[in-house]
Every structure is written in C-alpha cells, then in structure tokens.
C-alpha cells in the first residue's frame, strides 16, 4: 500500500494476496494493528502529506493529490482531525523554520 498511496490495491486484491477473504483480512488486520486496512491507509496518506508539507516540498493541493485525495476539503478535514491543525498551518510552520 505504501508504494502507491494514491492508487492502493482494493481490499479484495489484498485479500487474494493474503490468501483469505476480505472480511477475515479486515478483522485480523484490526485485531493486529488496532485499525482497519483502509484506516491504516488513511494514516499513511496523512503522514506522507505531513512530511511533504513540513519539508516544503509541496503545497497543500499538491500534497493532497500526491497521496490520493481527490477532494481538497476532505483532505483538509482528515488532516485537521489527525494533527489538530489544518494543512496550511503545517506548511506555514515549515516556512518559518526555513528562516531560522
């Protein structure tokens, strides 16, 4: 999933790779990692976007598209829920640190 965050395999494809049905995969994944397969994907996407923003490599729109969000408002809401700041604030923190 980490190889291409914007185009991850489907749950059924992952289940085929693991040799089990999708329900069993999701239950086992949640039991093992405390999150669903796509909950973990969401966390990976947001973390990658945070890294891109804090390093100043991309702006908010570019980072959201790079990690697979097609709707900027959904990305911003998810980012704020995860990091308690909106993505633009994260980008501003990055810009300030470059001047220090």
């Amino acid at each position: 999933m980490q190889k291409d965050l914007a185009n991850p395999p489907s749950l059924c494809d992952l289940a085929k790779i693991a040799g089990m049905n999708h329900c069993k995969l999701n239950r086992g994944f949640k039991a093992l990692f405390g999150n669903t397969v796509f909950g973990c994907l969401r966390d990976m996407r947001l973390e990658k976007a945070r890294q891109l923003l804090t390093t100043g490599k991309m702006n908010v729109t570019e980072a959201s598209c790079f990690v697979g969000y097609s709707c900027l408002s959904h990305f911003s809401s998810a980012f704020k829920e995860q990091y308690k700041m909106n993505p633009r604030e994260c980008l501003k923190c990055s810009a300030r640190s470059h001047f220090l």
Side-chain angles (χ1 to χ4, degrees), residues 17-96:
I17 292 167
M20 60 183 72
N21 73 43
H22 68 279
C23 293
K24 189 172 181 177
L25 174 66
N26 219 21
R27 277 194 306 270
F29 201 90
K30 186 162 181 136
L32 196 60
F33 297 106
N35 204 347
T36 64
V37 172
F38 287 101
C40 285
L41 174 63
R42 176 183 176 265
D43 291 348
M44 285 188 278
R45 284 177 165 170
L46 292 172
E47 178 57 25
K48 181 63 177 176
R50 188 190 65 75
Q51 290 171 1
L52 293 168
L53 294 171
T54 57
T55 59
K57 291 185 177 181
M58 291 185 181
N59 67 36
V60 175
T61 302
E62 292 167 335
S64 71
C65 289
F66 183 82
V67 299
Y69 278 85
S70 57
C71 179
L72 187 57
S73 65
H74 290 160
F75 168 73
S76 294
S77 296
F79 192 96
K80 187 168 186 170
E81 181 182 322
Q82 183 84 2
Y83 297 111
K84 310 301 183 231
M85 70 167 61
N86 70 49
R88 291 195 202 304
E89 291 171 318
C90 188
L91 189 59
K92 286 178 187 175
C93 290
S94 161
R96 278 194 295 261

